[in-house]
Amino acid sequence: MQFTDLKTQYAALRDDIQARIQRVLDHGQYIMGPEVQELEAQLAAFTGTRHCITVASGTEALLIALMALDLKPGDEVITTPFTFAATAEMILLAGARPVFVDIEADTCNIDARLIESRVTPRTRAIMPVSLYGQVADMQAINAIAARHGLAVIEDAAQSFGALYQGRRSCALSTFGATSFFPSKPLGCYGDGGALFTDDDRLATAAREIRVHGQSGRYLHTRLGVGGRMDTLQCAVVLGKLPRFGWELQRRHHLGERYRRLLQDTAVDVLTVRPDRDCVWAQFTIFVDQRSAIQDALQAQGIPTAVHYPRPLHHQPAYGALCSPESCPESVKAAARVLSLPMSADLAEGDQERVVAAIRSIAGVRPRDSVA
Ligand SMILES: *Cc1c(COP(=O)(O)O)cnc(C)c1O
């Protein structure tokens, strides 16, 4: 059993993807070829945003969004410590300071109720992460941002395709930033990412920053990066898009099925709020004695992963940003989360095997505590 099954997806799409790749090899425009614009138009339409700017990775998407905001040294960006390092890393690289706010215990997303008390005159932006594929509480976050004149960048690396109050992840704030890392809900065959915005001025800034700050050929009007997404990788995503709607349905079906099958076991599942869905970039549960459970699952050929074993404020590179005692829910989650095999092509038989193994290892829930 694979943790993320990309082989079945490739088998289903082989002819389309190969034809798409062959077309790029034939026209030879490897950088900024026609597939780049074609993908940007399709993704803008899918998300319902005015602008899509493809970039070299999800990490680059975060950096370019922050650079487009013209942050000054000492500026602060509020974010969560319970995320992949890139989120806080890019805030620091952009010259600002991450301010960590704790998460909600049941969704693992930033706790919007804790944000406003951390806003200072130096705060410029809020960067929530839509972790595991469920959008953070964007309505509350946008309201705080509006009251204080802040930008909001959604780190949507794990949530592409997710719905929040009927609208798509990436279309909910100043910028949405996603990743096409192969194992993300919509992946390419290497590195890739995209930025989304409705703001014409910020879209122009992001497009320029992507190509070394050029507003014209060899006219560098601002500081930028080499942040383009390859034509070949755009072609791969274009080859996958026709199946993506079906894949989202499968993800929802398999996510609900995991939750139902796990109901009587002694593990906790993630809460999905009623006004949104989850695309399950990771199907993550909460367990006690995690490493024993992981080992026992591995012995039965079931791969698992931990997203993430340490919150960023407990990492050597970021620990100086705040006290290790802060953000206690992030610390607790980091000790208990466990991600199970998940992808649109996960076979239901394999899913049942995972649940049966968990039931035999972790046991069943005492009757009186069944919700
Ligand atoms: C994957 C991921 C990123 C980085 O995306 P890359 O394409 O790998 O650079 C950033 N933030 C989160 C939350 C992620 O899961």
Side-chain angles (χ1 to χ4, degrees), residues 57-59 62 83-84 86-87 129 155 157-158 179 181 184 191-192 308:
S57 67
T59 303
L62 296 171
T83 177
F84 181 59
T87 315
V129 179
D155 181 343
Q158 299 184 9
S179 163
F181 186 85
K184 305 282 170 153
D191 277 309
Y308 296 92

Side-chain angles (χ1 to χ4, degrees), residues 127-239:
M127 193 187 270
V129 179
S130 295
L131 202 71
Y132 305 141
Q134 175 176 210
V135 174
D137 198 355
M138 294 302 279
Q139 186 181 353
I141 293 167
N142 284 333
I144 295 163
R147 279 199 289 280
H148 300 275
L150 312 175
V152 178
I153 301 171
E154 183 197 7
D155 181 343
Q158 299 184 9
S159 60
F160 193 78
L163 284 169
Y164 177 88
Q165 299 182 353
R167 290 159 63 208
R168 292 281 179 198
S169 173
C170 290
L172 303 164
S173 56
T174 317
F175 272 118
T178 198
S179 163
F180 304 125
F181 186 85
S183 59
K184 305 282 170 153
L186 180 62
C188 58
Y189 290 156
D191 277 309
L195 267 178
F196 298 85
T197 185
D198 286 332
D199 185 310
D200 297 346
R201 194 185 56 81
L202 289 174
T204 300
R207 283 186 196 286
E208 293 177 4
I209 292 165
R210 174 174 68 175
V211 288
H212 304 283
Q214 293 175 94
S215 55
R217 196 165 168 80
Y218 298 126
L219 179 61
H220 302 269
T221 49
R222 60 169 88 233
L223 200 62
V225 293
R228 294 165 303 225
M229 182 166 163
D230 298 347
T231 312
L232 276 170
Q233 296 302 343
C234 290
V236 170
V237 178
L238 282 167

Side-chain angles (χ1 to χ4, degrees), residues 80-84 102-109 131-132 270 284-291 294 305-315 324 326-339:
T80 158
F82 194 61
T83 177
F84 181 59
D102 208 3
I103 55 169
E104 303 168 333
D106 61 342
T107 67
C108 291
N109 279 330
L131 202 71
Y132 305 141
L270 201 76
T284 302
I285 60 174
F286 304 92
V287 299
D288 300 318
Q289 279 136 17
R290 178 174 61 202
S291 60
Q294 271 195 292
V306 175
H307 303 95
Y308 296 92
R310 267 185 205 219
L312 295 185
H313 69 301
H314 285 195
Q315 293 283 359
S326 63
C327 303
E329 294 301 340
S330 300
V331 176
K332 276 189 234 167
R336 292 191 73 219
V337 288
L338 179 66
S339 301

Side-chain angles (χ1 to χ4, degrees), residues 38-119:
E38 186 182 350
L39 179 62
E40 289 177 350
Q42 288 207 27
L43 296 181
F46 175 82
T47 53
T49 48
R50 277 172 65 80
H51 304 281
C52 168
I53 302 113
T54 56
V55 294
S57 67
T59 303
E60 209 73 20
L62 296 171
L63 180 62
I64 292 173
L66 288 159
M67 288 176 78
L69 297 178
D70 273 328
L71 300 175
K72 306 280 178 291
D75 283 350
E76 295 171 357
V77 178
I78 292 174
T79 191
T80 158
F82 194 61
T83 177
F84 181 59
T87 315
E89 185 180 41
M90 291 308 109
I91 294 169
L92 284 161
L93 263 187
R97 191 187 127 85
V99 172
F100 291 130
V101 164
D102 208 3
I103 55 169
E104 303 168 333
D106 61 342
T107 67
C108 291
N109 279 330
I110 193 168
D111 190 336
R113 294 166 305 180
L114 306 177
I115 291 177
E116 200 152 26
S117 68
R118 304 302 304 279
V119 174

